């Protein structure tokens, strides 16, 4: 006991000295840095107190491989019971995120960022690109100047490039060396899915839904869907059931056009097919059950399927009836969202998650104006729609630079982020400040009364507090098991539209991560073919007739053949067959599964 007392005295003295030194240098230290230094000192002292209380002495020896300090020893759990807490001394880790629109800056003055830094010792130096994020990434690869942590989309060819060039640490090696208990919370399917040909695992997936994590409360959601101004339907006598057939949907759109309907002085466009005028088209392919696998089990290029032409000709008829205009092809996400918010779109077919906020903005400005999910309309055969889910294999992956100075701290930051504590912090904020357990729904959270009031008064409250925008390590099944039950109109709308279309979502994991090797002939052909098709698609949609639409489609397919698209399909099929083998599947597309 006396020795423990001496340890506590030493800790307090060290803490006082650290604070005093920070104060002495205050004239040259920015306030935020000074606060972070003091907080870090407090965190270190608290961690040391925990160690003293359990008689756990830690030696900060450098690893033989030069990977930095590991105060708990290789694989040893700390007094907290999890090895991520072995070393929580202050460290700054650089992180590049290829989502160029993301603008988060780590700020320890924000409650959540500050809490994470205090808890883990990690401060993130986040890089994004003001220009093309992928050009920036390629430049860093070429110059071998990658940051400690690299976050990139699961579809990126750079994942294999970075790992094959030896620019990334194998995550399994780091976990075995520093935090073997991390394996206890990682879905084996994630590890197996991202294992490369050399038998190593380099990419940690966020926002994935893995088979081992799916519970009775887990739903597979889709972004395919359509939403309609229900108030206009009521005003014009349009039955919502009309949106379940091709003809019924067109007839409903025509009623809006013929009524020359205006809202707040704005002409209401009957149909919007999403960003760039083509984003919504892929959703119609889902409605029409256009397969991604042929009857023999080989991967299928949807562009060659009869259902693709049926979808094209439906859009073409809508265009020739004047139900949408060529202007739609110039709309980016912001332009579509603006028209949703001001009420000048009747029916939107596009990413449902992208425009939830704008739909609610309209309703909050005018309670009599509101969007509802509808449809989906189906193909002439009446086949059941099969909607592509939100990325089951993840949205992004995080990799650790093989030249990182502190790879042990990187992998342990991954570990803490994926714990239930990390997930709750990233998604909901701080317990008792931002959220509390809901007594009416055991296991689920609710906002505290004070935070609920703050959120209703300030739409940017969560961003200001520093959470709900750090998605790169999200474990979706875990978060679904704790999600807030909807109470506000905005929350109820969000759940309604997600649940409505979830009925048609399917497990498409086998179709994920089909990435052609960068620099290969197939990758070059594919890029050229996709650019060509992107230019042809508006011509088909805006053709003068159904016959002209089909003619352009057939000619365009021939051009793809001449480019060598069959070679691309074969190369993609090799990866697809490997994916099915990993999953133990003979067939992957629902219509083929008997």
């Amino acid at each position: 006991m006396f020795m423990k007392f001496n340890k506590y005295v030493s800790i307090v003295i060290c803490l006082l000295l650290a604070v005093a030194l920070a104060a002495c240098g205050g004239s040259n230290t920015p306030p935020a840095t000074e606060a972070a230094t003091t907080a870090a000192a407090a965190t270190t002292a608290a961690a040391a107190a925990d160690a003293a209380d359990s008689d756990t002495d830690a030696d900060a020896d450098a690893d033989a491989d030069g990977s930095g300090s590991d105060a708990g020893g290789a694989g040893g759990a700390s007094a907290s019971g999890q090895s991520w807490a072995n070393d929580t001394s202050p460290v700054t880790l650089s992180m590049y995120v290829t989502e160029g629109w993301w603008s988060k800056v780590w700020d320890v003055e924000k409650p959540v960022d500050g809490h994470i830094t205090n808890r883990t010792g990690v401060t993130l130096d986040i890089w994004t690109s003001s220009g093309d994020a992928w050009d920036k990434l390629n430049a860093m690869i070429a110059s071998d100047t990658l940051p400690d942590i690299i976050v990139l989309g699961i579809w990126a060819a750079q994942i294999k490039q970075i790992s094959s060039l030896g620019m990334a640490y194998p995550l399994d090696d780091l976990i075995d060396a520093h935090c073997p208990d991390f394996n206890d919370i990682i879905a084996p399917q994630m590890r197996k899915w991202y294992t490369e040909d050399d038998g190593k695992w380099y990419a940690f997936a966020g926002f994935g839904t893995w088979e081992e994590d799916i519970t009775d409360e887990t739903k597979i959601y889709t972004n395919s869907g359509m939403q309609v101004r229900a108030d206009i339907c009521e005003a014009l006598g349009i039955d919502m059931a009309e949106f379940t057939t091709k003809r019924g949907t067109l007839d409903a759109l025509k009623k809006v056009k013929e009524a020359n309907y205006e809202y707040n002085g704005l002409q209401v466009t009957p149909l919007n097919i999403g960003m760039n005028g083509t984003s919504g088209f892929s959703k119609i392919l889902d409605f029409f059950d256009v397969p991604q696998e042929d009857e023999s089990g080989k991967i299928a290029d949807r562009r060659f399927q009869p259902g693709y032409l049926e979808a094209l000709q439906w859009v073409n008829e809508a265009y020739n009836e004047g139900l949408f205009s060529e202007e739609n092809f110039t709309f980016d996400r912001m332009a579509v969202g603006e028209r949703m918010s001001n009420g000048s779109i009747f029916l939107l077919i596009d990413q449902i998650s992208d425009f939830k906020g704008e739909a609610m903005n309209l309703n909050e400005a005018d309670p009599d104006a509101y969007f509802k999910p509808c449809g989906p309309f189906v193909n002439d055969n009446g086949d059941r729609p099969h909607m592509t889910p939100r990325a089951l294999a993840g949205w992004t992956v995080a990799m650790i630079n093989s030249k990182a100075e502190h790879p042990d701290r990187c992998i342990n930051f991954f570990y803490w982020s994926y714990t239930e504590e990390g997930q709750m912090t990233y998604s909901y904020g701080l317990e008792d400040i931002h959220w509390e357990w809901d007594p009416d729904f055991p296991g689920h959270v609710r906002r505290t009364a004070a935070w609920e009031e703050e959120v209703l008064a300030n739409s940017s409250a969560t961003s200001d507090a520093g959470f709900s925008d750090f998605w790169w390590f999200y474990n979706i099944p875990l978060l679904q098991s704790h999600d807030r039950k909807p109470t506000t109109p905005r929350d109820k709308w969000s759940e309604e539209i997600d649940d409505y279309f979830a009925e048609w979502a399917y497990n498409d994991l086998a179709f994920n991560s089909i990435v052609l090797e960068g620099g290969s002939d197939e990758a070059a052909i594919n890029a050229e073919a996709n650019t060509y098709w992107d230019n042809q698609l508006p011509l088909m949609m805006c053709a003068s007739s159904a016959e002209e639409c089909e003619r352009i489609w057939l000619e365009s397919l021939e051009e793809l053949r001449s480019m060598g698209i069959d070679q691309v399909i074969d190369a993609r099929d090799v990866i697809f067959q490997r994916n099915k083998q990993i999953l133990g599947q003979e067939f992957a597309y629902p219509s083929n599964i008997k």
Side-chain angles (χ1 to χ4, degrees):
M1 178 65 70
F2 181 72
M3 290 182 68
K4 288 185 181 179
F5 177 77
N6 280 343
K7 288 183 180 180
Y8 277 112
V9 170
S10 300
I11 291 162
V12 171
I13 292 172
C14 290
L15 173 58
L16 292 174
L17 285 172
V19 174
L21 287 171
C24 291
S27 59
N28 296 320
T29 305
T33 304
E34 186 173 344
T37 302
T38 305
T43 301
T44 305
D50 285 342
D53 192 41
S54 60
D55 284 326
T56 301
D57 292 311
D59 297 323
D61 296 327
D63 297 324
D65 62 358
S67 63
S69 64
D70 184 353
S78 73
S80 73
Q82 293 180 321
S83 57
W84 64 263
N86 284 340
D87 183 357
T88 58
S89 60
V91 66
T92 297
L93 305 177
S94 55
M95 182 173 79
Y96 181 73
V97 179
T98 53
E99 301 294 332
W101 49 267
W102 194 58
S103 57
K104 180 176 177 65
V105 175
W106 200 259
D107 182 358
V108 294
E109 295 299 313
K110 291 184 175 182
V112 172
D113 291 357
H115 172 80
I116 294 170
T117 295
N118 288 343
R119 195 81 174 97
T120 66
V122 172
T123 296
L124 291 177
D125 177 15
I126 298 171
W127 308 354
T128 53
S129 176
S130 57
D132 188 301
W134 296 97
D135 285 349
K136 174 69 174 175
L137 176 63
N138 290 334
M140 288 191 291
I141 293 172
S143 59
D144 196 11
T145 55
L146 290 167
D148 298 321
I149 300 169
I150 312 101
V151 176
L152 61 166
I154 66 166
W155 57 88
Q158 289 90 337
I159 296 173
K160 288 185 178 294
Q161 183 182 12
I162 291 170
S163 57
S164 65
L165 291 173
M167 291 183 170
Y169 266 107
L171 300 182
D172 30 16
D173 290 353
L174 288 177
I175 290 171
D176 290 346
H178 302 291
C179 48
D181 49 323
F182 189 6
N183 285 315
D184 296 341
I185 62 171
I186 297 172
Q189 193 178 65
M190 182 213 290
R191 187 171 188 156
K192 187 176 182 181
W193 189 256
Y194 283 102
T195 294
E196 295 289 355
D197 293 339
D198 64 359
K200 295 296 183 180
W201 170 42
Y202 299 91
F204 191 91
F207 227 84
T209 300
W210 305 100
E211 185 176 7
E212 296 91 346
D213 292 330
I214 295 178
T215 67
D216 291 340
E217 292 197 43
T218 304
K219 290 183 179 180
I220 298 177
Y221 289 116
T222 178
N223 272 331
S224 295
M226 45 198 279
Q227 43 190 311
V228 68
R229 282 280 300 275
D231 56 307
I232 297 179
C233 288
E234 293 169 6
L236 298 180
I238 299 171
D239 189 333
M240 295 291 283
E242 292 188 45
F243 297 102
T244 60
T245 67
K246 290 166 57 178
R247 178 51 50 195
T249 302
L250 288 173
D251 288 345
L253 296 174
K254 288 177 184 177
K255 290 177 183 177
V256 177
K257 178 177 182 283
E258 291 165 359
N260 200 30
Y261 202 93
E262 290 189 356
Y263 176 77
N264 283 349
L266 297 172
Q267 188 73 38
V268 175
T269 302
L271 173 65
N272 187 292
I273 48 176
M275 297 171 280
N276 303 313
T278 56
S279 167
F281 183 67
S282 64
K283 316 312 173 197
I284 299 173
L285 297 179
D286 284 354
F287 301 167
F288 284 9
D289 190 32
V290 180
Q292 300 187 68
E293 177 187 47
D294 68 22
E295 293 180 353
S296 72
K298 182 176 181 178
I299 198 165
D301 188 323
R302 277 179 147 183
R303 292 171 293 196
F304 288 83
Q305 307 306 309
Y308 195 96
L309 176 61
E310 184 179 354
L312 274 176
Q313 290 181 325
W314 185 89
V315 175
N316 176 249
E317 184 174 355
Y319 171 77
N320 285 320
E321 291 285 352
L323 304 178
F324 76 97
S325 72
E326 293 179 9
E327 184 185 22
N328 199 162
F329 295 105
T330 68
F331 291 168
D332 58 11
R333 190 206 176 286
M334 184 177 296
V336 176
E338 179 183 350
R339 285 158 178 77
M340 287 286 285
S341 293
N342 66 29
S344 61
I345 292 175
F346 172 65
L347 176 68
L348 175 71
I349 303 174
D350 201 4
Q351 298 269 103
I352 57 176
S353 62
D354 279 24
F355 301 103
K356 287 180 180 179
E358 287 83 354
M360 279 307 304
N361 289 344
L362 172 67
N363 182 246
E364 288 171 357
D366 178 3
D368 293 327
Y370 60 103
F371 282 93
K372 284 183 69 69
C374 64
F377 55 94
V378 298
N379 63 23
D380 288 336
N381 293 331
D383 294 327
R384 175 181 174 81
H386 289 112
M387 298 189 185
T388 305
R390 297 174 190 168
L392 295 183
W395 171 17
T396 60
V397 296
M399 307 178 77
I400 297 174
N401 186 355
S402 59
K403 292 186 176 179
E405 184 178 355
H406 302 285
D408 55 327
R409 301 300 299 279
C410 292
I411 195 63
N412 276 306
F413 183 73
F414 285 21
Y415 183 1
W416 181 85
S417 296
Y418 215 58
T419 62
E420 184 160 337
E421 176 190 350
Q423 294 292 300
M424 301 293 279
T425 303
Y426 285 137
S427 188
Y428 307 120
L430 306 182
E431 187 174 5
D432 296 329
I433 296 175
H434 302 111
W435 65 272
E436 59 192 7
W437 294 110
D438 190 334
D440 296 326
F441 299 99
H444 291 266
V445 304
R446 68 181 182 186
R447 291 178 180 139
T448 62
W451 185 240
E452 181 76 26
E453 184 177 340
E454 176 68 19
V455 169
L456 292 175
N458 176 13
S459 61
S460 64
T462 55
S463 178
D464 294 344
F467 69 96
S468 82
D469 63 352
F470 198 88
W471 304 282
W472 320 124
F473 297 97
Y474 270 23
N475 179 338
I476 297 304
L478 172 63
L479 292 173
Q480 283 186 11
S481 70
H482 294 311
D483 266 348
R484 290 181 296 111
K485 295 297 183 179
T487 55
T488 67
R490 184 177 287 267
D491 292 340
K492 290 177 180 178
W493 156 255
S494 178
E495 183 176 84
E496 177 187 4
I497 194 168
D498 281 344
D499 287 350
Y500 183 95
F501 290 107
E503 175 184 348
W504 294 283
Y506 73 97
N507 188 331
D508 77 333
L509 188 55
F511 299 96
N512 284 248
S513 305
I514 299 179
V515 181
L516 299 172
E517 183 179 351
S520 66
D521 290 343
E522 291 81 9
I525 293 169
N526 193 48
E528 182 184 4
N530 288 341
T531 299
Y532 167 77
W533 196 264
D534 288 344
N535 291 329
Q536 293 297 102
L537 196 52
L539 299 180
M540 303 177 213
M541 291 178 173
C542 300
S544 59
S545 66
E547 294 74 21
E548 179 67 6
C549 175
E550 182 174 7
R551 184 190 66 79
I552 299 173
W553 175 65
L554 290 171
E555 288 183 355
S556 301
L557 293 181
E558 285 302 313
E559 183 62 24
L560 289 185
R561 296 281 193 203
S562 69
M563 289 180 177
I565 199 67
D566 289 334
Q567 182 179 341
V568 172
I569 295 171
D570 289 342
R572 295 183 70 239
D573 187 59
V574 170
I575 304 170
F576 176 58
Q577 298 305 325
R578 184 192 65 193
N579 289 352
K580 288 197 293 182
Q581 185 177 12
I582 291 173
L583 298 171
Q585 295 178 335
E586 181 181 2
F587 295 103
Y589 194 73
S591 299
N592 286 339
I593 299 173
K594 308 301 182 185

